[in-house]
Amino acid sequence: MSVDAIIGGQWGDEGKGKIVDLLSKNVQIVARYQGGANAGHTVYRNDQKVVLHQIPTGALRENCICILGNGMVIDPIGMLDEINILKQLDVAVEGRILIDYYAHIVTPIHKCIDRTNEKRTNNKIGTTCKGIGPTYTDKYNRIGIRAVDLLSYETLKEKIESRLDFAIQEHQIAMDELTDLKQEIIEFYAACKNISIYIQDTFKHLHDNEEMNILIEGAQGTMLDIDHGTYPYVTSSNCSSGGISVGLGLPGSRLNNIIGIFKAYTTRVGGGPFPTELFDKDGEILGKIGKEFGATTGRPRRCGWFDLVAARYSVAINGLTHIALTKLDILDSFDTIKVCTSYDLHGKKITNLTEALNNLEDIKPIYKELKGWKSEIREYSKFDQLPLSTKNYIEYLESELKVPISIISIGPKRHQIINRN
Ligand code: IMP
């Protein structure tokens, strides 16, 4: 039996979906422990692109059941859409998708509060407007609605009505949205009824079967972690491996491998500091070739070079045992590839991110230049076949991060991957 976790090493969108899909081949459970519909995990099934937001990507492998853990925030309307997508693809769902009793529920009220907050602050954080922050706020304020509440219509209705009254009284929502909101709440009740068959106790699945291989699927990325990320420009959950213990009730001592997913360059969506962000032609090329648009919001992602300072921090915070490097093929056309090795903060050289985490807007990245390979690498299947400069790039990152880069993704298709294990 093994328990492995996949964690976003950067600011999210590292290409976790494809790696989960690969590693879920031989597992019986895939579980998510945080976040919700703010995530957008893309996988290909028979060349067809499938984007899942809440249901773990492992759903496409029918050998596994999918657990949506207590640490998640579930949007019933979105859940129903995703279940319907899977049904249309002839993927079995009943008995395979389990929402934990104590996962919190994103209601239309929370989504409305998120939108209102964003408008009032002029999109300061640039959230996905999926209601994530307001739902976690209610959780910690001990007024949240949990999946178990969906099992009784009366309980749910009472909680929704009282939450709506509170939102109006506290001016949390814009009044011109009220009519639409009430309409959406009707749709919400119907979705809750539909998804109630998936709600259950997930504890026994995670703890009572010694034979199971479990894969844990993180969403977003370490630099968006509410505690360890670039606060306040973060999401509202613990995306790093520390979140697993609380978000699934699965203690750290059960974890075998923790695999960090890193894009071969860096991207970020939404507001907040981004030390290696490029505003030049190179940034444009990365965005264009990498098709860097958010899978959830469609927003263009900000692009930059690989940041070793942030990556070293991520290795440490998560206790990474392996790395999967993704989208390496996007660098195919560059003459030179830059890697940020340290920061300059008012003349002081910084190699440890925590010394600059609160001043990231003020740093200047210091780069090392590596030779590009100027050729297409998508159809190679072994590390040794890669061009020398490609191998040098991978080995340089590996030596700096002191963690083996055991998986290298070189294209969007399932077969475009090099497994070094
Ligand atoms: P929220 O999670 O919707 O509250 O958004 C908070 C911040 O996290 C915003 O900057 C979002 O763009 C970012 N974010 C949330 N989810 C993802 C994701 O899955 N990938 C990348 N960025 C994300």
Side-chain angles (χ1 to χ4, degrees):
M1 172 202 171
S2 71
V3 183
D4 294 344
I6 285 179
I7 308 286
Q10 295 156 316
W11 275 274
D13 307 315
E14 298 92 352
K16 294 181 283 293
K18 183 178 167 184
I19 308 298
V20 173
D21 178 59
L22 171 81
L23 299 182
S24 56
K25 236 194 279 180
N26 300 316
V27 305
Q28 290 75 42
I29 296 179
V30 181
R32 267 189 64 183
Y33 59 95
Q34 46 73 231
N38 47 350
H41 294 170
T42 306
V43 264
Y44 286 81
R45 182 181 160 91
N46 306 330
D47 281 346
Q48 189 179 352
K49 185 175 170 181
V50 184
V51 183
L52 293 172
H53 300 279
Q54 305 183 78
I55 299 177
T57 325
L60 295 182
R61 299 254 187 218
E62 298 198 22
N63 50 296
C64 33
I65 60 168
C66 296
I67 293 181
L68 289 84
N70 61 281
M72 284 188 72
V73 287
I74 310 290
D75 174 356
I77 297 176
M79 259 315 272
L80 200 55
D81 287 345
E82 287 184 47
I83 286 170
N84 286 335
I85 289 173
L86 293 178
K87 283 183 176 168
Q88 276 159 19
L89 292 168
D90 280 331
V91 174
V93 284
E94 259 137 64
R96 290 191 58 231
I97 293 177
L98 319 178
I99 303 170
D100 188 77
Y101 277 148
Y102 305 121
H104 278 248
I105 296 295
V106 180
T107 72
I109 306 165
H110 297 99
K111 287 190 265 186
C112 188
I113 296 173
D114 201 358
R115 283 194 302 274
T116 309
N117 286 345
E118 281 292 290
K119 262 188 227 148
R120 286 179 184 163
T121 59
N122 221 355
N123 287 318
K124 180 183 168 210
I125 308 287
T127 75
T128 57
C129 289
K130 298 289 179 185
I132 306 297
T135 307
Y136 278 115
T137 303
D138 280 6
K139 169 176 174 169
Y140 288 102
N141 210 10
R142 292 159 295 180
I143 57 166
I145 298 171
R146 300 184 297 173
V148 69
D149 298 323
L150 271 46
L151 301 180
S152 153
Y153 176 69
E154 284 68 35
T155 309
L156 178 65
K157 193 160 179 286
E158 203 183 300
K159 292 199 172 195
I160 290 286
E161 284 170 2
S162 107
R163 186 64 187 87
L164 184 59
D165 288 345
F166 183 67
I168 296 169
Q169 187 192 317
E170 297 293 316
H171 308 287
Q172 291 179 325
I173 52 176
M175 290 314 284
D176 58 356
E177 291 218 38
L178 198 55
T179 312
D180 287 348
L181 178 57
K182 285 186 175 164
Q183 196 54 41
E184 210 189 321
I185 289 173
I186 295 171
E187 190 192 339
F188 167 80
Y189 285 138
C192 289
K193 187 163 178 241
N194 270 299
I195 68 156
S196 61
I197 57 166
Y198 302 100
I199 296 168
Q200 55 167 284
D201 174 14
T202 63
F203 180 92
K204 58 179 186 293
H205 293 279
L206 293 165
H207 290 274
D208 290 354
N209 196 336
E210 293 286 301
E211 303 305 311
M212 294 274 189
N213 291 327
I214 301 174
L215 185 66
I216 299 167
E217 178 174 341
Q220 290 82 50
T222 306
M223 301 308 294
L224 289 172
D225 184 289
I226 182 87
D227 282 277
H228 302 293
T230 48
Y231 192 90
Y233 301 96
V234 290
T235 188
S236 300
S237 65
N238 288 112
C239 330
S240 61
S241 62
I244 297 170
S245 312
V246 277
L248 278 172
L250 200 62
S253 57
R254 293 273 310 274
L255 293 176
N256 298 100
N257 298 303
I258 307 176
I259 303 146
I261 318 296
F262 290 83
K263 222 177 251 186
Y265 48 100
T266 313
T267 60
R268 169 163 210 175
V269 258
F274 179 3
T276 60
E277 182 167 15
L278 292 167
F279 300 95
D280 60 5
K281 196 96 198 114
D282 286 343
E284 249 174 63
I285 295 171
L286 286 173
K288 200 163 162 218
I289 304 179
K291 298 196 177 68
E292 295 295 352
F293 292 91
T296 301
T297 58
R299 290 178 291 176
R301 297 177 184 141
R302 301 152 66 190
C303 298
W305 297 116
F306 194 94
D307 182 345
L308 271 174
V309 185
R312 276 189 220 108
Y313 172 75
S314 181
V315 166
I317 288 288
N318 291 302
L320 299 182
T321 59
H322 299 81
I323 286 175
L325 191 67
T326 62
K327 298 187 88 165
L328 187 61
D329 55 302
I330 305 306
L331 302 180
D332 280 357
S333 62
F334 286 92
D335 292 319
T336 314
I337 296 165
K338 290 187 186 173
V339 176
C340 169
T341 54
S342 58
Y343 302 152
D344 178 315
L345 179 63
H346 309 307
K348 186 179 171 205
K349 184 177 167 186
I350 306 280
T351 51
N352 172 6
L353 186 89
T354 55
E355 288 178 50
L357 195 49
N358 209 28
N359 310 87
L360 282 183
E361 277 99 351
D362 301 334
I363 67 96
K364 286 195 196 79
I366 300 170
Y367 289 111
K368 174 181 169 76
E369 293 194 4
L370 287 98
K371 201 163 156 258
W373 43 93
K374 302 279 288 172
S375 60
E376 287 183 18
I377 58 168
R378 277 192 176 183
E379 295 309 321
Y380 292 115
S381 56
K382 295 203 166 54
F383 182 77
D384 289 341
Q385 297 167 335
L386 290 170
L388 184 64
S389 312
T390 319
K391 286 194 272 195
N392 284 346
Y393 184 65
I394 297 164
E395 283 171 348
Y396 173 67
L397 297 183
E398 199 167 43
S399 68
E400 285 292 315
L401 297 174
K402 299 185 176 59
V403 176
I405 298 181
S406 50
I407 298 172
I408 303 151
S409 176
I410 47 174
K413 304 269 171 66
R414 257 186 182 167
H415 75 275
Q416 290 167 332
I417 203 140
I418 294 176
N419 206 327
R420 290 169 86 194
N421 283 323

